[in-house]
Amino acid sequence: MWTVDAFDVDFLKWDFNRSFTEAGSMGGRTDVRRVFVEHALGTQRVLDRLRTARPALRIGACSGGGGRIDLASLARTDQAWTSDNTDAVDRLTIQHGFPQVYPAQVMGAWVTDSPNPYTRRSVPLGFRFHNAMAGVLGVGGDLTRWSAEALDAAAGFVARYKAVRETVQHGDKYRLGAPGDAWQAVQYVAGNDVESVVLQWRPGPTGDMPVPRLRLHGLDLQAVYHVDDDTGRSRPTPFAPARRSPRTGWRRNCRAGRTRAGC
């Protein structure tokens, strides 16, 4: 508690990087592994105290790439560290599996440096940000080494994410493709159908292949949607979300971010 107050901490990442050494009872008791249960319960009690005393404090659960992602922990934290692997291409698979159980609003997704510190793969900044926008966007790179151009672009991506964050974190999710597909995309739809966010990636070489047409879901088939892509250009062209149907003349917003590795 002292650390949180002394340094005016507003976000705390709760990690567990060291396993127990010689854990358990040496007296031949039948509950020698009870220490592991008590450790988990003790952690929950500490988090409960933090929550009660500092309700505005945001807490991220983290433990060895997800070992602390359980319902008891998520009831006490705001988000979870999905994996130590922050390679944006590998994350397409990781972030396809994680939301099968947990919502996007708890899926920590950070933009880190390129080449990636774990895989040494180089991925464009736009791809890394669009990948992280699929969950709880964070930035974990060494910003002192980023160019002025990269910092300016990053500020734009962060602002863009904040504009669609509500839909991504609280909307209905549709998977448009799966890991291994040439193109992969994910769609989020606001609960009132007013807005949809589409993120699309091509992890391999782009070549001359055209961007495939996506069959979107969860939209109002009677509406005309205003498409605003991530290039800053708006296209007020009507389109059918899943099939042709009569559409009214009023508009709603559909924001789409598309990026390709290697572009």
Side-chain angles (χ1 to χ4, degrees), residues 98-174:
F98 184 92
Q100 304 282 346
V101 179
Y102 304 107
Q105 72 185 88
V106 303
M107 184 175 69
W110 283 20
V111 176
T112 54
D113 292 324
S114 181
N116 183 270
Y118 287 94
T119 67
R120 308 309 301 170
R121 180 169 18 216
S122 295
V123 179
L125 186 67
F127 191 103
R128 283 178 278 152
F129 263 98
H130 283 146
N131 178 275
M133 286 181 182
V136 181
L137 172 66
V139 179
D142 184 354
L143 301 185
T144 63
R145 296 178 178 270
W146 289 23
S147 66
E149 181 182 7
L151 290 173
D152 184 64
F157 284 122
V158 171
R160 184 68 161 180
Y161 177 73
K162 289 181 177 180
V164 301
R165 176 170 53 191
E166 182 70 20
T167 298
V168 170
Q169 294 190 13
H170 299 282
D172 295 330
K173 179 175 182 178
Y174 298 90

Side-chain angles (χ1 to χ4, degrees), residues 39-255:
H39 168 76
L41 295 177
T43 301
Q44 292 171 14
R45 287 193 293 269
V46 172
L47 293 176
D48 287 339
R49 290 177 57 193
L50 279 172
R51 280 293 189 209
T52 300
R54 304 293 181 268
L57 177 67
R58 294 183 60 83
I59 302 175
C62 177
S63 177
R68 196 61 72 201
I69 302 175
D70 56 76
L71 296 183
S73 294
L74 291 178
R76 295 166 169 84
T77 57
D78 299 285
Q79 58 183 268
W81 184 249
T82 313
S83 172
D84 284 343
N85 185 355
T86 58
D87 183 305
V89 175
D90 289 346
R91 292 288 293 215
L92 293 178
T93 300
I94 295 170
Q95 295 178 185
H96 180 83
F98 184 92
Q100 304 282 346
V101 179
Y102 304 107
Q105 72 185 88
V106 303
M107 184 175 69
W110 283 20
V111 176
T112 54
D113 292 324
S114 181
N116 183 270
Y118 287 94
T119 67
R120 308 309 301 170
R121 180 169 18 216
S122 295
V123 179
L125 186 67
F127 191 103
R128 283 178 278 152
F129 263 98
H130 283 146
N131 178 275
M133 286 181 182
V136 181
L137 172 66
V139 179
D142 184 354
L143 301 185
T144 63
R145 296 178 178 270
W146 289 23
S147 66
E149 181 182 7
L151 290 173
D152 184 64
F157 284 122
V158 171
R160 184 68 161 180
Y161 177 73
K162 289 181 177 180
V164 301
R165 176 170 53 191
E166 182 70 20
T167 298
V168 170
Q169 294 190 13
H170 299 282
D172 295 330
K173 179 175 182 178
Y174 298 90
R175 296 173 183 82
L176 311 179
D181 294 347
W183 291 89
Q184 188 175 339
V186 63
Q187 178 192 5
Y188 302 91
V189 181
N192 53 9
D193 298 341
V194 169
E195 179 177 86
S196 179
V197 180
V198 179
L199 297 165
Q200 184 177 17
W201 308 275
R202 177 178 170 82
T206 57
D208 297 325
M209 296 178 59
V211 177
R213 183 182 296 273
L214 295 176
R215 297 177 65 85
L216 305 182
H217 303 275
L219 303 181
D220 185 348
L221 299 182
Q222 304 301 317
V224 174
Y225 282 80
H226 185 89
V227 179
D228 182 10
D229 65 26
D230 208 19
T231 64
R233 300 188 301 269
S234 295
R235 293 181 286 116
T237 305
F239 68 95
R243 62 179 184 276
R244 290 190 181 277
S245 64
R247 298 182 294 272
T248 61
W250 63 287
R251 292 176 181 166
R252 298 177 176 181
N253 290 326
C254 179
R255 306 180 189 276

Side-chain angles (χ1 to χ4, degrees), residues 15-36:
D15 211 337
F16 177 55
N17 288 323
R18 186 179 186 279
S19 298
F20 295 117
T21 301
E22 299 180 358
S25 171
M26 301 298 291
R29 296 168 55 183
T30 58
D31 58 346
V32 294
R33 296 181 60 84
R34 181 69 188 177
V35 63
F36 296 101

